[in-house]
Amino acid sequence: MIFQNVVWTLVLVGMGLVAVGFIYVVAQAGKPADEVATRKSTHTAHVLQAWLFAVLLVGFVAGSWATLHRFPIPPQHAELGAPQVVEVVGRQWSWQITPDTVQAGSTVEFRVTSADVNHGFAIYAPDGRIVAQTQAMPGFTNKLLYAFRQPGTYTVQCLEYCGLAHAPMRTTIQVVAPGGK
Amino acid sequence: MASLTLYPDDERLAGGERAAFNLYLISALALFVLMMLVGLTMRMAQAKWLSVPPNLFYELLSMHGAGMVGTMALATTAVMWFFLRKYVRLHLWAFVANYVLFMLGAVCIILSIFVGGYGALWTFLYPLPVRGMGLWTSDTAALFMLGYLLIGVGSLLFYLDGAAGIIKVHGNLGRALGLPWLFGGKIDPAHPKAVVAGTMVIIANSLGILAGAVVLVMSLINIFYPTVLLNALVAKNLIYWFGHMYINATIYMGVIAVYELLPRYSGKPYPVSRPFLWSWAVSTLFVIIVFPHHLLMDFAQPRWLAIIGQVVSWGAGFPVFVVTAYGALSNINRSGMRWTMPSRLMVLSVFGWAAGIVPAIMDGTIRINLVMHNTQWVPGHFHFYLLLGVLAMVLALMFHEIGSRAHAPPNSGADKLGFPIYLVGGLIFVFAFLDAGHLSVPRRMAEHLDAWTPTDRLGSIGAILVVLAMLYFAVRITVGLLRAPRLGASGVRAQDAAG
């Protein structure tokens, strides 16, 4: 399953729920309620508001735990011990990637920095979707861990605007099958 | 508490006030249209319907980013001034000084971009401004930064005047925010929401502007003394602290129009409550500390900052969903509200804000940011709550004000046609961005691959519709504002608008 599709579905559902709430109320807005109905609907509104708060709170706690309990960014000041290491330097407007061939099936540690301005090191799978990224920043080295599942030609595209030739600042990484075939 | 009279006498603008207010609104309308045309040009270039050389594209992008944020700030400052002046004493000179400094700053920015060739975007991320690679000089970048400084000084003047006025009436900013009522006590139902929101903006955005001033001065020192190097990560933190706060302040200034006007159109009171005060107290803190979500892909950033970025981004949804959107919907539910331009735009604005933060919250999640950062997902969500949220708030006040001069809320046939064109065009435009982000299309790129053009073309069509509607709104409102002010009694009551 493509991760972006899951995110897209969640967002469409979330926005859809917001839209349904608005459409429902807008449809009712033109129909004035009498005093009794107003009092009743005010009470219902307070109860619903409490429920909305409770549901969002549960989502907040559960979602935060689910997305943070295994922190998605590797420690930056420790030895990561990945079986493959790739050094990446971005500069206006090219990438220096050493080595530029890695194996699928085992983790690669990308050590990403910049020789001049801020760049964005984004890896695009052959299907055109981003699979991982980090910033390439002057004076800092960002360590990114990623395990390629499928062999193929992956594109590295600069994702942080860096001047005139930002768009064509791209290159490729070859991902070969385990064992180098 | 906000008045239920549609056009209360204490909102009537005297000679100098009216001239200044008109100047703000008409300038903002003209700038919105111009900046939209710049945006449309870029979308059409990405769609390969127009040929725009990359250097010009990035100049336009710099103009559009700085111009739209600045114009939004200009317009929402007028919103805040319009309502806050009813509750505290604001000096006209501070309001006018902000306008003059804004325009001087805008001239610096325009000259640096279109004469000097500056193309390092609104973000001026160190050290790009001094590495123009022959396209612009360091002096040009300095002129751009000087423009920002002038605009920032203008905003600070306005906020200082507002703070002085608020403190004079409420004793201190904490009381103005309603902090003593958070845990108990009888809330004064007449405590104005405009004061609560205005106080929050003054606190948060003053800090943001000061952060911006620090990084601008640091960058200027680096420009004139190149041996003084900056820490790129520190500079980036300060830039996003400033940038995030500055644009978010526009939402909080703009929403004052909804708090003040919605009850007049629904005919139902909309007083302060404890949840409301909690939401604004929490938002004050959240908006100050949420900016690290812009730096989630800077792995060198301390881990606790990234966690704050995510957790606070998620938490920021509570006040919007549970209090502002829910409160607005409760207010209009079965109110018998009649649909006119101000009421339509207000409801749209709250929808745009609430729906727009759904993809924003997603993007503030570290795992998701790993594949969405700097894709068109980002302009997708911020255009959602700026175009369909904040701009709609501003337009609501503008239409309300021209209604006050004509003694009736605007609702002509052309208005009824313009609104759906704006809404449908806006939705097409923002969903094209979001879909492109979901497909991993990068943002801020002059040349697009052929595979990316379908969403660019869809977005361009949406943008054309928005520009057409906005052109109509701009002309309609400008003509309305230039009409002679109303005379005599305050006229229409809320019940009349509510039908």
Side-chain angles (χ1 to χ4, degrees), chain B residues 121-344:
Chain B
L121 309 190
W122 80 262
T123 46
F124 61 99
L125 276 187
Y126 172 83
L128 186 58
V130 291
R131 289 181 181 263
M133 304 290 270
L135 288 179
W136 67 87
T137 65
S138 296
D139 291 343
T140 299
L143 183 62
F144 183 86
M145 292 174 194
L146 176 66
Y148 268 20
L149 280 173
L150 288 169
I151 291 172
V153 169
S155 296
L156 276 183
L157 268 179
F158 175 72
Y159 292 149
L160 284 173
D161 185 52
I166 287 170
I167 290 169
K168 203 169 272 181
V169 174
H170 296 278
N172 59 50
L173 295 179
R175 267 191 225 151
L177 262 181
L179 298 185
W181 293 316
L182 288 184
F183 294 100
K186 190 175 179 333
I187 297 170
D188 175 6
H191 191 69
K193 291 183 173 181
V195 168
V196 176
T199 305
M200 180 268 212
V201 169
I202 287 168
I203 295 170
N205 208 20
S206 296
L207 288 174
I209 290 169
L210 288 175
V214 169
V215 72
L216 284 166
V217 171
M218 284 164 60
S219 300
L220 286 167
I221 291 172
N222 170 256
I223 287 173
F224 294 114
Y225 302 95
T227 52
V228 180
L229 300 177
L230 309 185
N231 180 311
L233 189 57
V234 171
K236 202 173 189 181
N237 272 279
L238 287 167
I239 287 167
Y240 281 111
W241 193 8
F242 148 69
H244 181 89
M245 212 107 77
Y246 199 74
I247 191 59
N248 272 264
T250 68
I251 307 177
Y252 298 117
M253 290 192 281
V255 77
I256 295 172
V258 177
Y259 289 145
E260 285 278 339
L261 298 180
L262 195 62
R264 301 184 203 173
Y265 286 85
S266 69
K268 282 165 74 175
Y270 193 14
V272 289
S273 61
R274 220 176 303 281
F276 174 86
L277 295 174
W278 265 104
S279 82
W280 278 87
V282 164
S283 295
T284 307
L285 175 66
F286 281 4
V287 76
I288 292 169
I289 62 173
V290 75
F291 72 90
H293 69 194
H294 290 279
L295 292 100
L296 297 178
M297 291 303 103
D298 293 287
F299 294 175
Q301 187 90 315
R303 181 175 285 196
W304 61 269
L305 270 175
I307 293 172
I308 284 180
Q310 172 170 330
V311 171
V312 177
S313 296
W314 284 36
F318 281 86
V320 180
F321 290 128
V322 181
V323 179
T324 301
Y326 194 87
L329 288 181
S330 300
N331 186 264
I332 65 169
N333 188 40
R334 301 204 60 188
S335 63
M337 184 163 77
R338 192 180 298 158
W339 293 103
T340 55
M341 283 306 277
S343 54
R344 279 189 200 107

Side-chain angles (χ1 to χ4, degrees), chain B residues 83-124:
Chain B
F83 293 109
L84 191 60
R85 76 195 159 95
K86 294 193 300 174
Y87 308 110
V88 304
R89 182 160 183 235
L90 297 180
H91 293 91
L92 189 60
W93 64 261
F95 188 52
V96 173
N98 176 49
Y99 180 87
V100 172
L101 286 165
F102 179 93
M103 287 302 162
L104 287 174
V107 168
C108 291
I109 290 170
I110 290 167
L111 287 176
S112 74
I113 292 173
F114 293 116
V115 178
Y118 175 84
L121 309 190
W122 80 262
T123 46
F124 61 99

Side-chain angles (χ1 to χ4, degrees), chain B residues 331-392:
Chain B
N331 186 264
I332 65 169
N333 188 40
R334 301 204 60 188
S335 63
M337 184 163 77
R338 192 180 298 158
W339 293 103
T340 55
M341 283 306 277
S343 54
R344 279 189 200 107
L345 286 160
M346 277 187 281
V347 175
L348 170 64
S349 74
V350 181
F351 169 74
W353 189 10
I357 65 165
V358 176
I361 287 172
M362 285 290 179
D363 195 36
T365 310
I366 300 168
R367 281 176 192 279
I368 295 171
N369 201 254
L370 276 163
V371 295
M372 291 299 197
H373 184 71
N374 275 347
T375 67
Q376 290 199 340
W377 189 265
V378 185
H381 69 67
F382 72 66
H383 277 95
F384 209 119
Y385 50 72
L386 293 178
L387 179 66
L388 297 177
V390 186
L391 184 51

